[in-house]
Amino acid sequence: MLDCGDEEVRAFAEAMVAARENTVFCRECQNLSEQELCPLCSGEGRDRTLLCVVAEPRDVAAIERCREYKGLYHVLHGVISPTRRKSPDDIRIKELLERVGGGAFAEVILATNPDTDGDTTALYIARMLRPHNVRVTRLAYGLPMGGHVEHADGLTILRALDGRREV
Ligand SMILES: [Zn+2]
């Protein structure tokens, strides 16, 4: 930054401010978006019966990199964590239940990280979805225990998707 000229730094700062001002939460998937409906939700060729639930926007980017998954997403913006005092009300579970309650989804894939908080969150959501008569699966094989979806390569995510199981 110190090597850049004033103009460059100013342009960078303005770009950051503009990015923040133009960013909203997609009204469907809750991902960060520049429009009310993000490109993934409004895009053609997505399987609208399949919903993948992730903790963070960067997890959407990681799964999109594997180019195999063609369904929709739901971003929770966090996980349930007793140690970090995050309750179900602190993340976007209510919005998820409303979406699934609409009845359009045949399967919900829980793609939170395979660690304690990720598992807790997945089990909680699976329980809440039970009355909805929808298949609920969890990413299983491929992801290392304690690993992170965002750091996984495309092949690993692909295997994890293939190996998902009912919860
Ligand atoms: Zn969206």
Side-chain angles (χ1 to χ4, degrees):
M1 206 66 138
L2 290 172
D3 292 333
C4 298
D6 283 356
E7 272 310 302
E8 282 171 277
V9 173
R10 190 165 293 122
F12 180 71
E14 280 167 6
M16 295 278 281
V17 170
R20 200 189 59 186
E21 281 174 353
N22 294 332
T23 301
V24 293
F25 295 112
C26 170
R27 70 175 146 87
E28 286 291 322
C29 71
Q30 310 296 321
N31 200 357
L32 301 174
S33 172
E34 287 180 12
Q35 296 107 35
E36 200 188 346
L37 206 56
C38 78
L40 278 169
C41 286
S42 60
E44 298 275 311
R46 307 295 302 196
D47 180 349
R48 293 176 182 279
T49 67
L50 205 53
L51 184 65
C52 183
V53 178
V54 297
E56 303 290 348
R58 57 180 178 260
D59 298 327
V60 173
I63 294 170
E64 280 301 288
R65 274 201 300 275
C66 85
R67 294 165 186 274
E68 187 68 19
Y69 179 72
K70 293 284 176 242
L72 300 178
Y73 292 94
H74 188 89
V75 182
L76 296 168
H77 294 280
V79 285
I80 300 168
S81 174
T83 53
R84 278 182 277 167
R85 297 185 181 202
K86 281 255 195 180
S87 79
D89 293 338
D90 295 323
I91 61 176
R92 297 185 183 217
I93 289 179
K94 183 166 65 72
E95 291 84 349
L96 171 66
L97 298 179
E98 278 169 16
R99 276 182 93 186
V100 176
F105 297 107
E107 180 178 348
V108 176
I109 304 166
L110 301 173
T112 49
N113 290 328
D115 55 23
T116 308
D117 292 346
D119 283 344
T120 301
T121 306
L123 285 174
Y124 178 84
I125 292 172
R127 206 169 61 221
M128 298 299 283
L129 288 178
R130 212 157 283 160
H132 286 289
N133 195 27
V134 61
R135 185 173 179 229
V136 181
T137 55
R138 175 99 171 95
L139 288 193
Y141 307 105
L143 289 181
M145 192 64 196
H148 291 270
V149 172
E150 62 164 315
H151 295 135
D153 61 88
L155 187 64
T156 303
I157 291 176
L158 195 59
R159 288 215 184 102
L161 271 170
D162 284 344
R164 67 186 186 266
R165 53 187 162 71
E166 308 266 355
V167 290

